[in-house]
Amino acid sequence: MLRYDSTSSSAGSSSGSLSSSSSSSKPPQQDIDGLLAGAGYKVRSSELRQVAQRLERLETAMGNSPADFSQLASDAILYNPSDLACWVDSLLTEFAEPPPTCSSDFIVDPVNNQTVVNSAWTAAEPHTPQVHQNITYDEQQSLDNQLTVVTAMEEDSGIRLVHMLMTCAECVQSGDLSLATSLIDDMQGLLTHVNTVCGIGKVAGHFIDALSRRIFQGMGGGSVNGGSAFENEILYHHFYEACPYLKFAHFTANQAILEAFDGHDCVHVVDFNLMHGLQWPALIQALALRPGGPPLLRLTGIGPPSPDGRDSLREIGLRLAELARSVNVRFAFRGVAASRLEDVKPWMLQVNPKEAVAVNSIMQLHRLLGCEQTRNSPIDTVLSWIRGLNPKIMTVVEQEANHNQPGFLDRFTEALYYYSTMFDSLEACRIQPEKALAEIYIQREIGNVVSCEGSARVERHEPLAKWRRRLSGAGFRALRLGSNAFKQASMLLTLFSAEGYSVEENEGCLSLGWHSSPLIAASAWQAVPAWDNHMSSS
Amino acid sequence: MAGSNEVNLNECKMVVPLNTWVLISSFKLAYNLLRRPDGTFNRHLAEFLDRKVPANLNPVDGVFSFDVLIDRATGLLCRIYRPATAEEPEPNIVELEKPVVGDVVPVIIFFHGGSFAHSSANSAIYDTLCRRLVGICKAVVVSVNYRRAPENRYPCAYDDGWTAFKWVNSRSWLQSRKDSKVHIYLAGDSSGGNIAHHVAARAVESGIDVLGNILLNPMFGGQERTESEKRLDGKYFVTLRDRDWYWRAFLPEGENRDHPACNPFGPNGRSLEGIKFPKSLVVVAGLDLIQDWQLAYVEGLRKAGKEVKLLYMEQATIGFYLLPNNNHFHTVMDEISEFVSSDC
């Protein structure tokens, strides 16, 4: 949970952002040393002695050849540092046998491979500005000064606004619509006293709008996401440019997919939401550079049907094919047009049993969490057929938020603080119109979370902890993302983003956040072999 | 490393409980991986390995926490720990900065350790320690996420400490009812202890009162090699080589360990005579190789007529205060509690 102090700097904003996290202490598992658990390490009491012995061995080995040890640090890929026994072991094995030349690093050296990364994005979208305007120091200063100094009165108004938003949400939940309506009026008035260019004022405005829509359109759900698929793609693209969340998603997923495809000659990526195919040039490039040569790559991109007879999926496919040709990667594309992910049937994907399959879901699974928790709800159906494909890997990136709670007030509160944090992170973006359009993108999400219900409410975000349970229950096990993926993500941030973003590792999953609040989480999964699954080959 | 490996490993295993040994050894192992001989630091790997915990608005054992960005320009974050009260068992998310209730409410500004290079305010070990401090001192604890070396050398950590200090001092919601002032204590372990000293010095220079300093195994040093350094080098988790590395990483390039940041009462230091320096509680572990510097620090305070209580824990190693599984831990916590409450 993160709050901002508004009076300390001239460009300050007081956006109180927070995610009310659940208790940080999990119920003690049997035999896990409780004190070490408090320090973030899971070690069984019964294994303490063994772990100690291994630490000693490692230390002795280290003492004998210190030079090798610092090399080890650069080369070794470490996983899940919480599991002490495991990572000490992996260090011991690395130390005993030097690692094979690692073929699967995605961005080995940001300087040398910058061309790889840049041209990947250029290839995807010719009309995207390739170089962001560098703002000089002086321009930056005057920009900062243009943002109003937040006065004490504004800070007060900001706090009052938050109070009122909560009260209004409470009224909506309890059905007191007349009070809710008058609060809306008051809040609109208060907005004039608050800086709506940044901080709490900006995000409050969007929430007031969303509440308004909810109250005046009734519970049937508004047409907030009335934008066309084309519009949505544009907004998505600008959100991609303005802040690192989607780039992080793509990089992290690609790294995991690349590793999973190691040693396979026929690979097939199923992308649950192709959009402009922004994710794929980089993977194609990386496969092209694979030692031993690239595999045959098939990409199946799922996306909404285009209304005006254009086959936008095919157009993207053609562009990607062009890129693949230019780097000598044998490539085949297939578009699957579906308005909803649950309408897709596995046969449409034409998966060949001999190929290694990667299923890629960037912020799509939550859309399947319909309000009815019936046995064959869309999420269960889809997870079941994914499992049937026996993918080498399923990459899942989701918003790290709890926006699917049944109670409206709880949902509203969570969303208020989640999106405040996200908006605040967007302040760091200086390029237009990317920033403005990214804000609209986020605004639409807010609208859906707050003012829609039933099947119209598709933004049903759930936190990683819940997804872990759900996916484990559906027969998947987590593949751990390791220190190399972490390093890639950190380097990405240094290259492309402002200070303030942070990557964290949590039991094999990575999350990207603004300051200490995680906003998006990436994980990788594999189907647990089922004895009665006709299609599986172990 | 002085002495044979085997002997050293066995010795330190005899003085600490097994889980403490595993914890501190794994830190040592990890830290060895992170320090490069050329003076650079593997920050990515460091952040990957560091076990962090999020702030938690839901009170756990009566304490809740939240993070505040107090300086946008440097990205300076602090984690604030507050006791949940009987009237407000579940804090209202909108009212985190509700005024503290009490005639006298101590506010402890805490600087985590890590030899200026490691750890963060949200590291699990320090989150745990700060929560404990809230309980035993009935205080609000503000843990400062200062910038670290080698990317940010002296004086960044001190500047951040000072920024945090001024911020805390200017919060009306942290004022004690008795005199409408914020009752500030500075505390820290290892490099954090060093930072606490320097921030206190700056505070008194600026005429702002600090009620007390709590220094746990504070990190000090000097150019000379002291007897304890020679005797204990490599014996209890710490080597002279790594101490030297961290000073080289923190101090301005070209400076040696007699720089006043490292050696405040050394040849380039300054006496505190005549200055209204706060009372200090200094905890020294008897198996810490830099104890001679820590004891010299205490001597320096005494010579200048400053009130100081030394807690010399003979059989304690570094990090003994991280896990509540030894007597030193409980002794020190009691002393800290007393040190802070004697203000009332």
Side-chain angles (χ1 to χ4, degrees):
Chain A
M1 180 282 161
L2 183 59
R3 292 210 63 207
Y4 297 86
D5 181 70
S6 57
T7 53
S8 64
S9 63
S10 61
S13 62
S14 62
S15 57
S17 53
L18 133 87
S19 62
S20 48
S21 49
S22 54
S23 167
S24 58
S25 55
K26 294 199 302 209
Q29 292 170 37
Q30 259 171 335
D31 194 35
I32 297 279
D33 184 294
L35 293 184
L36 288 180
Y41 296 99
K42 292 207 185 76
V43 188
R44 282 211 262 287
S45 306
S46 49
E47 282 184 345
L48 262 180
R49 205 152 283 286
Q50 268 181 27
V51 173
Q53 276 165 2
R54 291 186 197 128
L55 279 165
E56 276 181 308
R57 274 174 51 201
L58 201 42
E59 180 152 2
T60 315
M62 179 187 106
N64 294 338
S65 42
D68 289 347
F69 202 68
S70 44
Q71 196 53 41
L72 178 69
S74 321
D75 294 342
I77 299 173
L78 305 173
Y79 294 95
N80 206 354
S82 284
D83 186 345
L84 253 188
C86 186
W87 85 267
V88 174
D89 272 349
S90 63
L91 273 175
L92 265 175
T93 10
E94 291 269 1
F95 206 65
E97 303 144 19
T101 44
C102 186
S103 63
S104 53
D105 251 2
F106 207 67
I107 314 171
V108 175
D109 179 335
V111 174
N112 290 336
N113 286 9
Q114 195 146 20
T115 46
V116 174
V117 175
N118 278 340
S119 63
W121 293 346
T122 311
E125 203 40 49
H127 47 270
T128 304
Q130 291 167 25
V131 176
H132 292 155
Q133 279 292 347
N134 286 322
I135 298 189
T136 64
Y137 181 71
D138 288 334
E139 285 169 340
Q140 189 63 56
Q141 289 292 82
S142 67
L143 263 176
D144 282 344
N145 291 336
Q146 277 166 41
L147 291 170
T148 319
V149 172
V150 179
T151 62
M153 185 185 94
E154 279 181 357
E155 187 179 342
D156 267 341
S157 300
I159 296 176
R160 280 180 61 203
L161 210 43
V162 174
H163 272 282
M164 289 173 78
L165 274 168
M166 304 297 291
T167 313
C168 186
E170 221 171 340
C171 291
V172 168
Q173 175 167 274
S174 62
D176 189 348
L177 296 184
S178 64
L179 180 52
T181 312
S182 75
L183 278 167
I184 298 272
D185 287 336
D186 293 342
M187 288 193 285
Q188 306 276 22
L190 202 51
L191 266 183
T192 62
H193 292 303
V194 177
N195 184 356
T196 52
V197 170
C198 62
I200 194 72
K202 171 174 267 181
V203 81
H206 298 316
F207 277 85
I208 294 170
D209 285 342
L211 274 173
S212 213
R213 231 174 285 122
R214 188 186 181 94
I215 294 167
F216 298 120
Q217 281 178 3
M219 299 283 276
S223 56
V224 173
N225 275 2
S228 67
F230 180 68
E231 260 178 43
N232 287 340
E233 280 175 23
I234 301 290
L235 292 177
Y236 183 90
H237 197 118
H238 286 89
F239 179 67
Y240 177 93
E241 294 292 345
C243 45
Y245 302 108
L246 290 177
K247 295 182 194 106
F248 163 79
H250 293 175
F251 266 66
T252 308
N254 283 347
Q255 175 67 33
I257 293 173
L258 189 62
E259 283 173 33
F261 281 168
D262 195 23
H264 292 276
D265 292 322
C266 292
V267 303
H268 184 173
V269 175
V270 177
D271 187 359
F272 276 4
N273 189 23
L274 187 68
M275 281 295 182
H276 288 162
L278 290 171
Q279 181 171 352
W280 306 118
L283 183 68
I284 294 172
Q285 300 267 17
L287 287 172
L289 293 174
R290 203 168 80 154
L296 162 62
L297 169 66
R298 286 182 57 205
L299 173 64
T300 300
I302 299 172
S306 345
D308 50 0
R310 280 171 64 227
D311 188 347
S312 56
L313 287 174
R314 188 164 168 274
E315 281 171 22
I316 311 279
L318 282 174
R319 272 214 292 268
L320 290 172
E322 189 55 52
L323 169 67
R325 193 164 24 247
S326 74
V327 292
N328 290 325
V329 174
R330 290 165 299 149
F331 178 80
F333 175 83
R334 186 183 175 76
V336 173
S339 346
R340 302 176 314 166
L341 193 51
E342 54 254 51
D343 295 336
V344 174
K345 303 282 175 266
W347 59 261
M348 297 174 187
L349 308 175
Q350 298 200 335
V351 169
N352 184 319
K354 292 211 182 69
E355 45 190 24
V357 176
V359 174
N360 184 72
S361 168
I362 310 287
M363 304 184 324
Q364 296 306 300
L365 291 186
H366 64 254
R367 305 171 82 87
L368 301 169
L369 298 173
C371 38
E372 313 101 49
Q373 296 299 315
T374 58
R375 253 190 64 188
N376 285 324
S377 57
I379 183 74
D380 295 324
T381 312
V382 172
L383 285 179
S384 168
W385 65 246
I386 294 175
R387 192 148 173 259
L389 296 178
N390 196 24
K392 269 267 156 305
I393 189 167
M394 173 173 67
T395 44
V396 176
V397 180
E398 284 286 328
Q399 288 90 335
E400 183 59 12
N402 204 358
H403 296 157
N404 196 24
Q405 298 166 83
F408 177 71
L409 181 58
D410 288 335
R411 214 162 72 223
F412 184 85
T413 309
E414 284 273 344
L416 183 59
Y417 289 99
Y418 178 85
Y419 289 106
S420 297
T421 310
M422 186 165 273
F423 262 93
D424 206 72
S425 76
L426 211 49
E427 288 306 309
C429 171
R430 303 282 176 184
I431 49 171
Q432 294 288 12
E434 280 81 354
K435 181 175 174 189
L437 291 172
E439 287 179 4
I440 298 178
Y441 175 88
I442 303 172
Q443 192 185 338
R444 290 208 179 167
E445 243 180 56
I446 294 172
N448 191 272
V449 175
V450 173
S451 66
C452 292
E453 282 301 338
S455 54
R457 178 156 64 92
V458 293
E459 300 295 344
R460 294 177 178 263
H461 313 143
E462 287 191 346
L464 181 60
K466 263 186 152 165
W467 282 110
R468 272 198 236 262
R469 285 198 291 277
R470 201 184 277 286
L471 291 172
S472 302
F476 291 89
R477 78 181 163 88
L479 292 170
R480 292 173 307 188
L481 301 170
S483 57
N484 55 340
F486 184 93
K487 183 173 170 186
Q488 310 287 356
S490 298
M491 292 210 279
L492 159 72
L493 290 182
T494 342
L495 279 179
F496 296 108
S497 302
E499 290 285 307
Y501 289 101
S502 60
V503 183
E504 273 188 28
E505 184 275 350
N506 185 317
E507 286 185 63
C509 302
L510 297 188
S511 65
L512 173 64
W514 177 247
H515 290 293
S516 56
S517 304
L519 294 176
I520 189 169
S523 55
W525 303 83
Q526 206 177 43
V528 170
W531 298 116
D532 59 353
N533 186 326
H534 299 296
M535 281 181 72
S536 76
S537 52
S538 52
Chain B
M1 223 158 76
S4 86
N5 248 321
E6 243 181 66
V7 173
N8 295 337
L9 291 173
N10 284 333
E11 267 190 60
C12 57
K13 271 215 304 212
M14 296 198 293
V15 293
V16 293
L18 189 56
N19 50 9
T20 302
W21 191 91
V22 165
L23 182 69
I24 304 190
S25 296
S26 59
F27 283 157
K28 180 171 111 180
L29 171 67
Y31 293 1
N32 286 340
L33 285 178
L34 302 172
R35 292 190 305 268
R36 299 202 193 97
D38 64 357
T40 59
F41 189 75
N42 194 337
R43 183 60 66 191
H44 297 300
L45 188 56
E47 292 305 293
F48 176 76
L49 294 176
D50 189 25
R51 305 290 81 207
K52 298 188 200 284
V53 297
N56 195 348
L57 262 208
N58 296 313
V60 176
D61 293 334
V63 180
F64 68 93
S65 61
F66 56 97
D67 294 337
V68 183
L69 181 68
I70 65 174
D71 186 343
R72 240 166 222 286
T74 53
L76 181 61
L77 274 175
C78 282
R79 178 163 290 182
I80 306 200
Y81 301 83
R82 293 188 66 168
T85 58
E87 306 86 40
E88 198 100 38
E90 295 222 350
N92 186 328
I93 36 178
V94 189
E95 295 175 329
L96 294 170
E97 295 178 358
K98 256 183 103 164
V100 293
V101 177
D103 278 338
V104 174
V105 180
V107 178
I108 303 177
I109 304 180
F110 181 78
F111 301 97
H112 67 82
S115 307
F116 293 105
H118 298 282
S119 296
S120 309
N122 60 347
S123 295
I125 47 172
Y126 288 114
D127 186 84
T128 303
L129 183 55
C130 287
R131 282 170 173 276
R132 193 172 288 276
L133 289 177
V134 172
I136 63 175
C137 300
K138 313 277 181 285
V140 172
V141 174
V142 178
S143 183
V144 183
N145 199 44
Y146 58 89
R147 280 169 294 168
R148 297 160 302 185
E151 301 95 318
N152 301 287
R153 293 176 176 271
Y154 165 96
C156 293
Y158 299 155
D159 288 344
D160 288 352
W162 179 240
T163 304
F165 180 85
K166 282 187 299 183
W167 184 88
V168 166
N169 194 47
S170 61
R171 296 305 101 187
S172 55
W173 60 276
L174 284 174
Q175 290 169 351
S176 292
R177 212 167 23 213
K178 161 167 140 185
D179 50 10
S180 295
K181 281 169 143 191
V182 185
H183 288 217
I184 300 179
Y185 291 81
L186 296 171
D189 72 310
S190 168
S191 50
N194 176 297
I195 297 172
H197 164 83
H198 288 286
V199 172
R202 194 154 167 195
V204 297
E205 233 170 74
S206 311
I208 309 176
D209 281 338
V210 173
L211 291 170
N213 278 1
I214 301 164
L215 271 49
L216 290 173
N217 300 6
M219 185 169 159
F220 292 116
Q223 205 48 29
E224 181 199 333
R225 298 303 192 190
T226 61
E227 186 271 340
S228 67
E229 283 169 312
K230 292 189 261 201
R231 174 171 50 92
L232 296 171
D233 185 12
K235 297 240 166 32
Y236 297 97
F237 309 109
V238 185
T239 66
L240 256 190
R241 250 177 98 195
D242 66 61
R243 293 298 96 202
D244 288 350
W245 190 100
Y246 291 114
W247 284 120
R248 263 197 311 273
F250 173 69
L251 295 170
E253 311 222 21
E255 293 283 351
N256 70 14
R257 290 184 303 275
D258 280 335
H259 186 282
C262 175
N263 196 354
F265 298 134
N268 302 316
R270 190 181 55 143
S271 161
L272 295 177
E273 241 172 298
I275 299 176
K276 196 182 156 209
F277 200 77
K279 65 174 181 177
S280 299
L281 175 65
V282 182
V283 177
V284 176
L287 300 176
D288 187 346
L289 83 174
I290 61 169
Q291 62 188 269
D292 283 350
W293 292 113
Q294 294 160 337
L295 294 170
Y297 173 77
V298 169
E299 217 15 66
L301 287 178
R302 285 203 179 120
K303 274 217 275 264
K306 305 300 150 213
E307 191 189 326
V308 52
K309 179 165 188 183
L310 167 65
L311 276 181
Y312 185 83
M313 320 297 303
E314 245 184 70
Q315 284 294 89
T317 64
I318 52 141
F320 72 85
Y321 46 82
L322 295 178
L323 298 183
N325 58 3
N326 57 84
N327 287 332
H328 316 300
F329 176 92
H330 295 291
T331 308
V332 166
M333 292 302 143
D334 287 342
E335 291 280 350
I336 293 178
S337 170
E338 177 137 353
F339 185 76
V340 171
S341 69
S342 62
D343 169 34
C344 315

